Amino acid sequence: MRGRLIVFEGGEGAGKTTQLQRSHQWLINSGWLTHLQSKGYIRQIVLTREPGGTETGQRIRQILLEQSRPAEICDRTELLLYAADRAQHVETFLRPRLAAGDLILCDRYTDSTIAYQGYGRGLDLSLIEQLNQIATNGLQSDLTLWLDLEVETGLARTRQRGTIDRIEQADRTFHHQVRHGFTTLAATFPDRIVPINANQPADLVAQQIQATLKERFQQWFGTRFEF
Ligand code: T5A
């Protein structure tokens, strides 16, 4: 049994957390989870996120996202903190669970670093790729669902929520560059990264994701299942 890593990516307020939780519920309620377990394809589903998927990562997340003045953390420090969070997450959480056959739903992973620190902050992309390689020791997602949304719409959603973290405080140009980064990544890795139109009601976004997951399950496990 080999687990699978499914990542939810996107800009601010794109709906990743909402859709990760909905996908989890759908996998349970539709009977897919039981089906995949009964066939011996997966052990269980686990949910996680970056930054902050481990105890150490929680502390790193606080440093990264607390609403301090943005200038207090310089760009290369930010990059290294995300990498440190990831190294811990991969080693102590992701790899052991994948080895045990779990289906992992993860909120953000390596593409966020390329989009935010590479395209957003303008740090060297090949340096980031090397750092991602060090942090993950080569562990890539099996599928990345990129929830694509206009920058203004996403930021308006986060503003409605009331609290704005350190990265969300960055200027509009930064967020447009991040979106450009995800667009470029999706064009470069079309098999791994699937664009999802997130500018729709949550139910319709969920339906696109479910269709993609069904396709991938068939590709990975050679199995069809209808509830
Ligand atoms: N980061 C992360 C880096 O810079 N580099 C890295 O390597 C990594 C890993 C993480 C921050 O760190 C940065 C990126 C981030 O800035 P986070 O809190 O984990 O921070 O992630 P955020 O993207 O900030 O999470 P958000 O909560 O802001 O966005 P989500 O998860 O995409 O959106 P969600 O689901 O919480 O929804 C936001 C709001 O919109 C509503 C929801 O109800 C909620 O109020 N909503 C919708 N409204 C209308 N229509 C829909 N379809 C909706 N879907 C959700």
Side-chain angles (χ1 to χ4, degrees):
M1 200 188 278
R2 168 169 99 74
R4 295 292 192 287
L5 176 59
I6 299 174
V7 175
F8 291 70
E9 288 280 15
E12 305 300 314
K16 298 174 303 298
T17 312
T18 304
Q19 292 300 331
L20 185 147
Q21 283 162 0
R22 277 180 172 241
S23 298
H24 183 214
Q25 279 313 309
W26 171 74
L27 286 164
I28 295 168
N29 297 337
S30 66
W32 261 105
L33 172 60
T34 314
H35 174 69
L36 294 175
Q37 284 174 322
S38 69
K39 296 275 182 191
Y41 297 134
I42 65 162
R43 184 179 69 156
Q44 59 179 356
I45 303 181
V46 289
L47 313 186
T48 186
R49 68 172 176 181
E50 290 193 358
T54 63
E55 221 178 290
T56 302
Q58 288 279 12
R59 296 208 288 274
I60 297 173
R61 183 182 170 94
Q62 271 183 351
I63 299 170
L64 277 164
L65 297 180
E66 65 189 16
Q67 289 172 298
S68 58
R69 281 181 298 129
E72 278 178 10
I73 298 179
C74 63
D75 292 350
R76 287 217 266 187
T77 309
E78 181 181 281
L79 171 65
L80 292 168
L81 285 169
Y82 280 113
D85 167 76
R86 181 160 305 129
Q88 185 73 14
H89 192 215
V90 168
E91 187 77 15
T92 67
F93 190 98
L94 297 181
R95 279 196 185 278
R97 281 166 180 77
L98 288 170
D102 289 353
L103 183 69
I104 302 178
L105 306 184
C106 183
D107 201 334
R108 296 192 182 278
Y109 192 53
T110 47
D111 295 317
S112 275
T113 316
I114 296 172
Y116 279 80
Q117 279 65 53
Y119 286 84
R121 301 288 190 218
L123 294 175
D124 184 84
L125 288 172
S126 61
L127 178 80
I128 294 176
E129 274 163 27
Q130 283 175 49
L131 202 53
N132 270 341
Q133 174 66 24
I134 293 168
T136 63
N137 204 10
L139 181 70
Q140 283 197 340
S141 69
D142 292 286
L143 169 68
T144 295
L145 299 158
W146 165 44
L147 276 69
D148 184 31
L149 183 64
E150 290 287 336
V151 167
E152 297 300 335
T153 312
L155 290 175
R157 285 184 190 170
T158 60
R159 274 196 302 270
Q160 270 179 2
R161 202 175 38 197
T163 53
I164 295 181
D165 67 36
R166 198 181 61 82
I167 301 268
E168 284 163 354
Q169 288 171 26
D171 63 29
R172 293 284 183 282
T173 310
F174 170 83
H175 292 292
H176 281 285
Q177 283 162 349
V178 169
R179 188 175 184 213
H180 173 60
F182 279 122
T183 308
T184 308
L185 281 164
T188 311
F189 303 105
D191 290 339
R192 183 174 65 80
I193 304 177
V194 174
I196 302 290
N197 175 7
N199 192 22
Q200 300 186 76
D203 283 348
L204 294 183
V205 180
Q207 280 172 24
Q208 287 178 69
I209 292 174
Q210 289 161 16
T212 306
L213 291 178
K214 283 183 197 172
E215 252 178 52
R216 287 300 160 126
F217 291 156
Q218 194 183 346
Q219 188 184 323
W220 292 340
F221 307 119
T223 185
R224 278 177 191 278
F225 172 73
E226 291 302 333
F227 185 54

